[in-house]
Amino acid sequence: MSGRAAPSAAGLLDQAVADGLIPGAVLAAGVRNTEPPLLHVAGYARDDATGQQPMRADTVFVDLASLTKIVATGPCVLHMVARGEIGLDSPVRDYLADFAGAGKDQVTVRQLLAHTGGLPDHRAYYERLTDAAAVRAAALAEPLVSAAGTAFCYSDIGFILLGELASVVSGTGLDDLTRQVVSDPLGMTSTTFRPGAAGPGRVAATEVIRGAAKVGVVHDENAEALGGVAGHAGLFGSAADLARFAAAWTGGKGKALFPAVLRAEALRCQTDGLPARGERRGQARRGLGWGLRGDLWDNMGDGWPASGAGHTGFTGTSLSIDPVSGLWAVLLTNAVHY
């Protein structure tokens, strides 16, 4: 940089707040440890007509958006795979009888996790359906846009169905299942669906709609129509909680969620040679839920190891891990508040 030192991550976040790009952020990073040696808090959890609420290290983010896919839904499904309750290569129809239509008997659990099941990326069910049962029925009835296993398309609908599958097989709601499988074992005390107030001043605001910011309510409209509990979005949590989750994937202290061989499979590319369809075009390099280095949704910088994996959320959240070096990073912002 012409002899000048590169700006620090903390400096970049402080500048982003000063420039009005984001209201605030919490950054945590480390190597295999659950207590991050790098922790930086910037800006505001809320900054609107009602006033300014400073960001805190323990701010609960409303919400983690699509990080729900890799922090809740994916681990719950893989947990049941490890227990033999779900077959990774079994047809989804084995568990969801109403998942019917042309070619849908060929769609497997693995393909939904890797976004290769042939489902479209998104449908605005909330615009015409307000009943959660009707939204679930519409997702189950959604026709394929490509044959199973022939293309990559990042699909919220696929993960809505995975959340439903996990609930049906376990006999409990995805919220309770996530608590049993992920939150309680890893000590993620702030991670939940439908947190409500979650303690005075602890919840980050998201988008301002009709003059009022969403606080304690899921940002994604389809997830809201599903009652706030959905496989693709709706999970709330803090940076400290996601640090514990990241450590469980990078060989850190604490409880492993499932066997190492299954963790390795989740981080192995499942999409080699497949074309990408949907919102973005480019190279698809996806694991089971996770995005890998070089993927068209890759959120990791050029300096990140080639073995890295990550994911983002629409509200301004991201999580990155590297199982080889043990490096992990959590960046939570409430970017949609502006």
Side-chain angles (χ1 to χ4, degrees):
M1 294 182 61
S2 303
R4 296 166 54 192
S8 68
L12 288 171
L13 289 177
D14 290 340
Q15 191 62 53
V17 170
D19 291 344
L21 299 178
I22 55 172
V26 181
L27 168 68
V31 181
R32 292 200 170 94
N33 48 331
T34 59
E35 298 301 323
L38 171 60
L39 178 65
H40 184 71
V41 181
Y44 303 97
R46 185 168 188 164
D47 181 21
D48 56 20
T50 66
Q52 291 180 323
Q53 173 187 319
M55 191 69 79
R56 296 167 26 169
D58 64 349
T59 292
V60 175
F61 277 78
V62 184
D63 54 294
L64 297 174
S66 282
L67 292 190
T68 301
K69 295 179 174 77
I70 59 164
V71 179
T73 311
C76 285
V77 171
L78 292 174
H79 172 79
M80 286 187 282
V81 169
R83 290 166 58 93
E85 298 166 349
I86 292 175
L88 193 56
D89 292 306
S90 296
V92 174
R93 280 283 300 277
D94 285 0
Y95 311 102
L96 299 175
D98 291 335
F99 184 65
K104 292 168 77 172
D105 58 332
Q106 301 298 312
V107 180
T108 67
V109 174
R110 179 192 299 273
Q111 288 166 347
L112 288 192
L113 285 166
H115 299 282
T116 61
L119 287 162
D121 50 3
H122 174 75
R123 293 284 187 262
Y125 298 129
Y126 65 92
E127 292 182 347
R128 56 186 176 86
L129 303 168
T130 56
D131 176 76
V135 174
R136 283 193 290 270
L140 284 162
E142 192 68 52
L144 301 185
V145 294
S146 60
T150 64
F152 167 84
C153 179
Y154 180 83
S155 177
D156 278 355
I157 299 169
F159 268 78
I160 289 174
L161 295 178
L162 284 169
E164 180 70 4
L165 187 154
S167 180
V168 167
V169 173
S170 67
T172 189
L174 182 63
D175 49 352
D176 287 337
L177 186 62
T178 299
R179 177 179 53 78
Q180 296 167 16
V181 172
V182 182
S183 303
D184 284 356
L186 296 182
M188 297 167 63
T189 57
S190 298
T191 299
T192 184
F193 291 88
R194 297 184 295 201
R202 281 198 63 201
V203 181
T206 55
E207 193 169 355
V208 176
I209 298 176
R210 293 185 291 277
K214 284 190 170 185
V215 180
V217 179
V218 59
H219 179 269
D220 181 271
E221 296 92 344
N222 278 339
E224 188 172 11
L226 283 162
V229 180
H232 70 299
L235 191 68
F236 294 63
S238 65
D241 278 5
L242 289 185
R244 295 184 178 92
F245 179 80
W249 282 84
T250 55
K253 295 179 181 178
K255 182 180 177 65
L257 296 177
F258 24 80
V261 64
L262 194 53
R263 292 199 305 275
E265 182 64 13
L267 298 175
R268 182 183 69 82
C269 185
Q270 310 280 325
T271 58
D272 281 336
L274 295 184
R277 296 176 180 171
E279 182 180 340
R280 293 192 184 184
R281 298 288 191 273
Q283 182 182 13
R285 298 202 72 252
R286 305 294 298 200
L288 300 178
W290 293 91
L292 307 179
R293 289 308 321 273
D295 182 61
L296 67 168
W297 296 92
D298 187 351
N299 64 296
M300 293 160 279
D302 291 341
W304 203 268
S307 49
H311 212 286
T312 61
F314 183 81
T315 50
T317 59
S318 68
L319 171 64
S320 305
I321 63 169
D322 177 46
V324 176
S325 67
L327 182 66
W328 59 265
V330 174
L331 176 60
L332 303 181
T333 83
N334 52 337
V336 294
H337 186 42
Y338 284 169

